[in-house]
Amino acid sequence: LNTVEVLKAGVPVIKRFSGGGTIISDADTLFATFICAADDEPQVPPYPDPILDWTSSVYDAALRGCGATNFAVRANDYCFATEEGDFKFGGNAQSISGKRWLHHTSLLWDYEPARMGLLRMPKRQPTYRAQRSHGSFVRGLSQTLPSRDAFCASLAAAAGATWELTPVELEEAQAALSLPHRQVTRLLRPEEVC
């Protein structure tokens, strides 16, 4: 992060328990998490590559359901492969504990270039990035897909092809969060950001 600019802008910084790279998140960011016990998906061993392969197949089906046929996985990132290069729209993080795992994906529906400017150019980069700035490396889903609602419905259908899904209202989710649970994702204090 460009920490001086982040602190000046008053942007909250959150540390995820699952790790992963630094992201900028706002109302144009979609989050999806698959939480699984190995017994529920015995064909998916609880290791990073098989989990990424399985989740990638769900996202590929969801994107195809919206007419996008150029989905690619590059260095653990979800991308659109084009003649101009590969453009990242989603980043992933995983947590694996014994025979249970979860896979987080942060999906950019759209983004504000000024907010992306709060991220420094990473020292370690995947080869496909080719030293491109965020603006020429990242592409929001909104530039390829017909609508956010269509994508969300297609993602639910793709996940529902494997699992039985039960929709819940926001109030139910908030009630579940109010129950005692382990809390390791946290908001960093300003002195921890530097």
Side-chain angles (χ1 to χ4, degrees):
L1 289 172
N2 288 320
T3 55
V4 172
E5 296 301 318
V6 166
L7 292 170
K8 192 185 317 180
V11 174
V13 178
I14 299 169
K15 184 174 178 84
R16 294 181 296 200
F17 74 92
S18 58
T22 304
I23 67 164
I24 293 293
S25 167
D26 60 20
D28 283 324
T29 307
L30 307 173
F31 295 99
T33 301
F34 294 104
I35 303 171
C36 192
D39 294 343
D40 295 333
E41 290 295 331
Q43 79 280 11
V44 183
Y47 299 100
D49 288 341
I51 293 169
L52 182 65
D53 290 344
W54 182 83
T55 58
S56 297
S57 70
V58 174
Y59 283 102
D60 187 40
L63 292 163
R64 285 180 183 279
C66 291
T69 58
N70 56 340
F71 173 74
V73 178
R74 302 286 187 257
N76 302 321
D77 294 334
Y78 292 157
C79 301
F80 287 121
T82 73
E83 290 181 10
E84 304 96 54
D86 298 330
F87 294 94
K88 179 179 179 176
F89 65 82
N92 301 292
Q94 297 176 347
S95 178
I96 303 168
S97 179
K99 300 233 178 229
R100 296 172 188 232
W101 54 265
L102 66 78
H103 180 94
H104 291 302
T105 302
S106 304
L107 301 147
L108 290 175
W109 179 254
D110 205 352
Y111 67 92
E112 292 181 38
R115 288 190 136 219
M116 282 294 169
L118 296 174
L119 295 173
R120 280 187 288 166
M121 185 70 91
K123 290 178 185 165
R124 290 184 350 181
Q125 297 181 23
T127 304
Y128 86 94
R129 182 169 181 155
Q131 298 295 316
R132 292 179 286 170
S133 69
H134 284 81
S136 57
F137 168 64
V138 173
R139 181 171 288 173
L141 290 167
S142 65
Q143 295 180 29
T144 303
L145 304 183
S147 77
R148 185 177 178 145
D149 289 343
F151 173 68
C152 291
S154 190
L155 181 56
T162 299
W163 291 332
E164 182 178 332
L165 303 180
T166 305
V168 297
E169 296 298 321
L170 180 59
E171 293 77 22
E172 291 177 79
Q174 288 173 327
L177 285 173
S178 70
L179 298 173
H181 63 283
R182 185 172 167 223
Q183 297 182 22
V184 289
T185 295
R186 65 188 185 84
L187 183 65
L188 297 182
R189 296 183 310 273
E191 61 272 16
E192 294 176 292
V193 173
C194 299

